[in-house]
Each structure stands twice: as structure tokens, then as C-alpha cells.
Amino acid sequence: MVARRAPSTRRCSVDGNPIPAQAGGGFCYLDGAHRHHYSPLPAPLYQSVASAAVFVGDPTPFGYEGQRFTFYGQHPIAASDSLWCFLDGPHFHYFEAPRSALFRFVDAVAFYVGAAPRAEGRKGVESASRVAAVYAPWVTLRPRVSVTPPPEWHGRRWASAAVLPVAAAVPAPAATPPAAARSSLAHVQTRLRAQGLHPERGQ
Ligand SMILES: [Zn+2]
Ligand SMILES: [Zn+2]
């Protein structure tokens, strides 16, 4: 077998990104803009900014073991809304929501309370459903959020029942999260209690 580097490497991410299973799996902790020989997958979790594919998703199911922050509902990434997280319901990111008037925090859960142009319209709904389909097998890896959203929040309510089949008590094999992701969740929770981990030092 001849290992050949693809002639055109893809700038994959401005920060961390999932590594596709065919490239070994797991999570890439590289900081800053960098390139990979593999394509940014799963595609619905990437958005383009100036020819870079930026991972915009919850890193938990991909074995990420570092500090995580809890969000509820869709929101812009960073100050502008050129990058938009289409994840409905509770989820994690490896970055913190900005302490600005656009976010309200309830028990450390970030709710975006600004205008939501990217979430609206046919394109927004389609993007959200593609992202939801990627995360459907990993409902159990989402954060448990029981707080009441602030009154200024107008996002979509999310119920895991809407994602799981009705007979959720007997999940199909495909709906079972990978063992690595399951163990990493408990692992991260334990380690976070002990000490804050920096994603750069993850691996
Ligand atoms: Zn990477
Ligand atoms: Zn998000």
C-alpha cells in the first residue's frame, strides 16, 4: 500500500475538530488554523470562513476530553453570526459563550437571546435538521439541563423524545454511542472535577 499525501490538503479548522473514522477517529486538539489530509466530516458540522472549514459542533461524541461549556439552543459563534451553531437543545462546546448582552446565563447554561437570522427560513431549518441527524445517536451524551430558559429566549424547545424513537427503551444498535465516547463522558466529568484540562494538552 502506498501512502500518498493528497495534493491539496484541506484547511480543516481554526481550532479543534473531529477526526473521521477512516483517518483514525478521535478528536484533533490543534489550536489555530491548520490543515489535514482528510475532508472535514461529518460535513453538516463544518462551516466555511475564508476557505477554512470550521468545526461548529459539540465535540463530546468524538472523544473530546477537555473543558466544556453548556449551551441551550442555537447561537452565533464568536462575535459575528457568520458562524452559527444549529444545534437545538442542550449541548456542549469547547469554548465559552461571550459574556455579552446577547447571552443570558442560567446556572452556567448559556442561552442566546439576540436576533436569530441564521436559524430562520428554509435554509436554517434544513441545516438544523442535518445537524440533528448527526447527533441523534448521541442523545445520552448531551448535558442534563433542567433550568427554565430566560424570558428573553425565543429558541426552539427540545425534547429527547422528539429525536429518539418512541420505543426508546430498546434502542437500535446504531443508536448506541461508541464505547469510547461513553467512557470519555464519565472520564471528563471526573477529571473536570479534579482539575481544569486545557484542550491543547489533550493529545
Ligand atoms: Zn485538526
Ligand atoms: Zn452550540
Side-chain angles (χ1 to χ4, degrees):
M1 192 170 75
V2 180
R4 254 182 71 196
R5 198 176 177 82
S8 61
T9 53
R10 301 283 303 266
R11 189 185 295 175
C12 181
S13 182
V14 172
D15 278 313
N17 60 275
I19 301 166
Q22 44 285 39
F27 198 81
C28 163
Y29 292 84
L30 287 175
D31 223 358
H34 58 280
R35 290 171 186 272
H36 290 293
H37 64 276
Y38 50 78
S39 295
L41 294 169
L45 307 189
Y46 285 85
Q47 291 170 29
S48 294
V49 173
S51 82
V54 180
F55 172 65
V56 179
D58 185 335
T60 311
F62 306 101
Y64 170 80
E65 296 189 2
Q67 195 168 16
R68 299 178 302 171
F69 302 90
T70 306
F71 291 68
Y72 193 102
Q74 300 185 26
H75 56 90
I77 309 285
S80 77
D81 68 354
S82 61
L83 290 175
W84 185 269
C85 170
F86 286 99
L87 260 169
D88 286 311
H91 60 279
F92 292 110
H93 286 295
Y94 55 64
F95 50 81
E96 203 170 9
R99 301 277 156 175
S100 79
L102 295 178
F103 284 89
R104 276 284 309 274
F105 293 83
V106 184
D107 288 354
V109 180
F111 291 85
Y112 174 65
V113 295
R118 297 289 301 277
E120 289 155 8
R122 187 171 57 85
K123 271 190 149 182
V125 172
E126 283 173 4
S127 297
S129 75
R130 276 196 295 270
V131 171
V134 171
Y135 283 98
W138 297 312
V139 170
T140 55
L141 298 181
R142 287 175 178 257
R144 300 271 178 272
V145 170
S146 53
V147 299
T148 304
E152 309 95 306
W153 182 77
H154 301 294
R156 264 198 291 275
R157 292 272 188 169
W158 182 88
S160 57
V163 176
L164 288 171
V166 177
V170 189
T176 306
R182 267 190 314 231
S183 65
S184 82
L185 182 68
H187 186 62
V188 166
Q189 283 169 341
T190 308
R191 293 205 36 196
L192 280 179
R193 262 181 235 119
Q195 59 172 339
L197 284 176
H198 196 281
E200 282 175 69
R201 282 193 255 129
Q203 63 184 25

